[in-house]
Amino acid sequence: TVLMCRGKAMRDFKGPDCRFVNFKKGEAVYVYYKLIGESTELWAGSVGSDFGYFPKDLLEINHNYSNEELELPTDVSLTCF
C-alpha cells in the first residue's frame, strides 16, 4: 500500500457504518486509495489507527507523497467484521 497524500479534515465526519473512518475537524487524514466507478466521491484512508472510506470533499490536501494514484474499482469493498 502506497501512501498517496495527507490532508486536514475540513469538518467532522461520522460514517454510516464500520466501513467508514470517522474524524474531527482539523485531524490529519492519510489517503491510500481513490475509488473509481459508482463511488467516485469516496477515498480510503486512515486517521490514527482507524482505516476506512470518507467523502473526498471533506479533505483539504496539504502534502502529496506519491505522484502515482492508486485507484480501486468500487466493487472491491471493505467489509465489516
Side-chain angles (χ1 to χ4, degrees):
T1 303
V2 175
L3 179 59
M4 292 173 47
C5 58
R6 180 187 71 222
K8 184 171 70 173
M10 295 190 293
R11 62 182 172 91
D12 293 358
F13 173 70
K14 181 159 176 52
D17 60 44
C18 72
R19 294 173 300 162
F20 291 80
V21 64
N22 301 322
F23 48 76
K24 300 268 189 221
K25 181 179 179 178
E27 279 192 298
V29 181
Y30 295 87
V31 180
Y32 292 92
Y33 306 108
K34 295 180 179 180
L35 303 185
I36 57 176
E38 291 178 20
S39 297
T40 55
E41 299 304 308
L42 292 179
W43 286 353
S46 65
V47 177
S49 61
D50 296 327
F51 185 88
Y53 297 128
F54 60 90
K56 68 180 184 181
D57 59 352
L58 298 183
L59 199 62
E60 176 186 321
I61 301 300
N62 51 25
H63 189 84
N64 284 302
Y65 293 101
S66 172
N67 291 329
E68 291 182 38
E69 291 199 355
L70 185 54
E71 296 180 331
L72 289 180
T74 53
D75 59 351
V76 178
S77 61
L78 298 173
T79 56
C80 296
F81 292 100

